[in-house]
Amino acid sequence: MATSTFFSDWNQMIKPRVTTLVLATIIPGLYLASGSPPSGFLITVTLFGTFLMSSASFIFNQVIEKDRDAKMKRTANRPVPAGRIGVLQATLVGFVMTAASFYLLTVYVNLLTALCAFAALISYVFLYTILLKPRTHQNIVIGGVAGCVGPLIGYAAIGNSLPVQAWILFMMIFLWTPAHFWALAIFLKDDYSDAAFPMLPVVKGNQETAKSIFLYTILYSASCIGFYFFESTMGILYLVSSISVCLWMGALAFRLLKNPERKSARSFFFFSIFHLFLINILILIDHGL
């Protein structure tokens, strides 16, 4: 296997771009949970340990879904269904990453942080990939819990506890996830249908999906703005900025509701990523000020 192909294949397996979003949700908790900035070493170990655990969960996901992935145009050329990486090889790498992550987080951070990261893997692999995704169009509502643990990891790493603020940030991402992934499912509807995944647009159609996206966007926006009232370090900058960007996201959700087609869904999907990044950045900036 050529070096370029090797790195390209493993890049697809561990999905670093997706993990980057998870890591971004850890950082506010690292700063909010302490009166002083955390050490660079603690930040690095926490983020790297979480990166390994998240990467392992994506590897296990692709091993489990290899047969369905082979039926979808978007995923048919992934390394496992295409045969460039074997199931045993991928599984072993996944277990090594899991063990390394748990060790690093337990020894150099604390056990609670390691358990939060491991709980995310279990949730993604077993609750979402195996149990819910092939069986119900509400799969991402419950199964999306795996992507919400970033704030819990951040708070646990510093305070070895999970205060109410951590759970509010958890709930924020929990409410963001369905709208984000249902938008993706609209413009990948044919692929999900080919693989027999009962995603919401496949089962209920684009219009019903757009209604659900609009509802969850309202709930997510309320949680973003509501964080101001539960975190004493948040100031007027966060409040005004979060209201502004939430109105922007709401406008895109409304446009999708009026025109539930691929183009509108794609615009909403990519803006939702930007929105979550921006909210976390605003929390850090306001806290710093």
Side-chain angles (χ1 to χ4, degrees):
M1 182 186 296
T3 302
S4 60
T5 303
F6 175 86
F7 284 110
S8 175
D9 283 345
W10 282 103
N11 184 69
Q12 290 184 65
M13 293 294 292
I14 66 175
K15 299 184 179 180
R17 287 185 297 179
V18 180
T19 299
T20 298
L21 187 57
V22 176
L23 299 183
T25 66
I26 293 175
I27 296 174
L30 288 170
Y31 283 86
L32 292 175
S34 174
S36 58
S39 70
F41 177 78
L42 182 63
I43 294 174
T44 301
V45 175
T46 302
L47 295 181
F48 183 62
T50 305
F51 175 84
L52 290 176
M53 193 72 79
S54 179
S55 298
S57 70
F58 290 133
I59 291 173
F60 292 137
N61 168 269
Q62 290 178 69
V63 168
I64 293 166
E65 293 186 345
K66 62 182 178 62
D67 294 333
R68 291 179 184 265
D69 280 349
K71 300 176 182 178
M72 299 168 62
K73 294 178 182 178
R74 181 176 65 95
T75 57
N77 196 44
R78 281 179 174 173
V80 176
R84 296 191 302 276
I85 294 178
V87 169
L88 179 59
Q89 179 187 7
T91 304
L92 287 175
V93 171
F95 277 119
V96 169
M97 283 186 164
T98 302
S101 170
F102 199 88
Y103 174 82
L104 287 173
L105 293 175
T106 302
V107 173
Y108 295 104
V109 187
N110 57 55
L111 179 60
L112 180 59
T113 303
L115 290 173
C116 287
F118 186 65
L121 181 144
I122 295 298
S123 174
Y124 187 71
V125 174
F126 290 98
L127 181 63
Y128 176 64
T129 302
I130 295 176
L131 183 62
L132 296 174
K133 189 175 180 181
R135 291 177 173 85
T136 172
H137 63 272
Q138 293 293 314
N139 45 35
I140 198 61
V141 175
I142 302 172
V145 165
C148 306
V149 298
L152 304 186
I153 291 172
Y155 274 91
I158 297 298
N160 200 19
S161 64
L162 301 175
V164 65
Q165 292 90 338
W167 290 105
I168 293 171
L169 290 176
F170 174 95
M171 182 58 63
M172 185 189 299
I173 304 170
F174 181 81
L175 295 171
W176 170 88
T177 302
H180 170 74
F181 278 100
W182 283 333
L184 173 68
I186 287 178
F187 69 83
L188 295 178
K189 180 179 177 180
D190 293 340
D191 264 2
Y192 284 124
S193 180
D194 291 342
F197 279 124
M199 303 302 285
L200 188 59
V202 176
V203 177
K204 297 290 186 178
N206 289 0
Q207 187 63 58
E208 287 301 314
T209 304
K211 290 179 182 179
S212 296
I213 289 173
F214 186 71
L215 172 61
Y216 271 90
T217 299
I218 294 173
L219 295 174
Y220 164 64
S221 297
S223 69
C224 290
I225 298 166
F227 185 68
Y228 167 82
F229 299 98
F230 286 90
E231 175 52 61
S232 60
T233 64
M234 292 295 96
I236 195 67
L237 172 65
Y238 174 79
L239 180 61
V240 173
S241 300
S242 63
I243 290 173
S244 299
V245 294
C246 285
L247 287 173
W248 188 356
M249 188 169 177
L252 289 177
F254 185 73
R255 187 177 76 173
L256 178 59
L257 183 63
K258 292 298 182 181
N259 182 30
E261 302 300 331
R262 289 169 57 94
K263 184 177 179 181
S264 298
R266 190 179 183 88
S267 297
F268 180 89
F269 171 78
F270 285 111
F271 182 81
S272 68
I273 298 173
F274 168 74
H275 192 283
L276 189 60
F277 264 119
L278 187 58
I279 286 293
N280 282 275
I281 291 170
L282 287 170
I283 289 173
L284 285 173
I285 292 174
D286 202 308
H287 175 72
L289 294 175

